[in-house]
Amino acid sequence: MQQENNAHGHIVGYGTYAFIWLGLLAFTGITVVAAGINLGAWTVFVALGIASIKGLMVMNVFMHLKFEDKIFKIFAGVAFITLAIFLVLTFADYLFVR
Amino acid sequence: MSGQWETQSVHLHRDDAGSRMGMWLFLFTELILFGGLFIVYAVYRYAHQAEFHLAAQELHSTIGFINTIILLTSSMTMAMSITALQKGNKALSMALVSATLILAGAFLVNKFFEWAGKFANGIYPGSPELMNRPQGEVLYFGLYFVMTGLHALHVVIGMALLAVNLSFIKRNVYTGENTVKLETAGLYWHLVDLIWIFLFPLFYLLH
């Protein structure tokens, strides 16, 4: 189904927010438990993965990104890709340039 | 529905999507601000893995966990306050913004006791106790104070925005479907939550 173009015309119900809140609490519990398990080098990536899922839930529903025009999503994507490029270049510099 | 909206917007000389986009663009600069610090954290964590593990054990993950629950809940009450206003329920909207403010205050009180505990143990930027420790621990606590401090500053700014909005709702500044100021304040508040979602595991859980 096509989402409504204008986020303003879309009122998100209380139930949806409560549901997302419960999901966020569940993922917080999972990340606490997962941090207690020794996963070696993967521990960081598991924690970041769970945090990213929570972040997407907050952005899409609480921040209404899901209901906004496509341009908002493209801009958000560009912002995160820019940050990822910074991260990769910084590590490349740190690891290979002496 | 959508068409009717646009006519009304033109008539009132208002561009709600533009207002929200403006706030999003500002939030992207915030993302780069905190993102830069996260990159510094990533590089130093990679360089001093053992010392980061050791230092992280000194943080109280329980306080971090409670503050996570508080901020997630405040994000929900914030989002709900917009729904309430859009449905014309002024009293409920004010109650939900107030709840958000109280939760934000509780977050800061916890943060105060957490930092006070660190100071009491002689751990603060440049302290003799900290300076005698290995470099990795100095870097860990330096990043901890800068990043949670900058985040707490954002909580304070967010509270100021919410207080102004509470007065707007009370004084009937928002009429009909004109709720975009509360929506943009909400976007800012959710960013504060979003950053904490990453700070919590990186500082409190990974040890």
Side-chain angles (χ1 to χ4, degrees):
Chain A
M1 198 183 85
Q2 196 69 32
Q3 287 295 348
E4 192 142 9
N5 240 3
N6 190 336
H8 217 96
H10 190 108
I11 299 180
V12 182
Y14 302 116
T16 308
Y17 289 138
F19 182 73
I20 291 296
W21 176 70
L22 284 175
L24 288 168
L25 292 188
F27 275 114
T28 304
I30 292 170
T31 198
V32 170
V33 172
I37 305 166
N38 190 2
L39 299 167
W42 287 101
T43 317
V44 179
F45 296 104
V46 169
L48 285 178
I50 296 170
S52 302
I53 295 169
K54 289 168 76 182
L56 280 173
M57 287 163 81
V58 169
M59 286 203 296
N60 273 316
V61 183
F62 283 175
M63 298 173 90
H64 294 192
L65 193 58
K66 193 175 148 188
F67 313 110
E68 293 282 9
D69 283 339
K70 207 174 184 178
I71 190 73
F72 282 74
K73 293 163 199 167
I74 294 169
F75 277 22
V78 168
F80 279 101
I81 289 167
T82 308
L83 189 60
I85 291 170
F86 288 172
L87 181 70
V88 169
L89 288 180
T90 309
F91 263 96
D93 188 55
Y94 180 77
L95 293 174
F96 303 120
V97 182
R98 280 285 183 267
Chain B
M1 198 56 190
S2 183
Q4 186 199 335
W5 270 112
E6 273 155 33
T7 344
Q8 225 172 19
S9 293
V10 169
H11 179 66
L12 295 167
H13 300 288
R14 232 176 60 218
D15 181 2
D16 290 345
S19 300
R20 291 196 301 272
M21 177 55 91
M23 183 47 97
W24 273 99
L25 289 175
F26 170 67
L27 296 187
F28 295 150
T29 70
E30 293 274 31
L31 177 78
I32 298 301
L33 172 69
F34 278 95
L37 289 167
F38 277 116
I39 291 171
V40 173
Y41 172 94
V43 170
Y44 282 147
R45 179 172 194 99
Y46 181 80
H48 304 275
Q49 291 180 26
E51 290 161 15
F52 264 55
H53 273 279
L54 208 62
Q57 282 171 12
E58 284 182 53
L59 290 199
H60 294 289
S61 52
T62 314
I63 295 189
F65 179 73
I66 292 169
N67 265 350
T68 304
I69 304 294
I70 287 175
L71 271 198
L72 290 177
T73 309
S74 78
S75 240
M76 179 188 68
T77 54
M78 180 71 235
M80 283 178 168
S81 76
I82 295 165
T83 301
L85 194 63
Q86 283 170 339
K87 288 186 174 174
N89 194 339
K90 184 183 153 183
L92 181 60
S93 183
M94 284 181 70
L96 286 164
V97 174
S98 306
T100 311
L101 271 170
I102 290 166
L103 289 165
F107 177 91
L108 287 179
V109 168
N110 279 341
K111 189 98 277 175
F112 170 81
F113 282 114
E114 189 191 344
W115 275 34
K118 288 280 156 297
F119 289 2
N121 290 337
I123 294 179
Y124 51 88
S127 72
E129 154 76 19
L130 193 55
M131 287 301 130
N132 282 327
R133 296 194 181 190
Q135 200 200 357
E137 290 196 38
V138 176
L139 290 169
Y140 175 89
F141 281 109
L143 282 166
Y144 162 76
F145 282 117
V146 169
M147 292 178 82
T148 61
L150 188 62
H151 177 266
L153 180 67
H154 280 74
V155 173
V156 173
I157 296 168
M159 286 176 80
L161 282 175
L162 291 180
V164 169
N165 267 284
L166 195 59
S167 129
F168 280 170
I169 303 172
K170 194 179 165 137
R171 291 187 286 120
N172 294 316
V173 172
Y174 298 120
T175 49
E177 291 80 12
N178 175 16
T179 58
V180 76
K181 288 193 191 75
L182 187 65
E183 286 171 54
T184 49
L187 286 175
Y188 185 87
W189 188 253
H190 296 309
L191 177 93
V192 171
D193 184 30
L194 198 59
I195 287 161
W196 185 259
I197 284 174
F198 285 88
L199 286 178
F200 170 58
L202 288 178
F203 279 100
Y204 294 82
L205 291 182
L206 297 179
H207 51 67

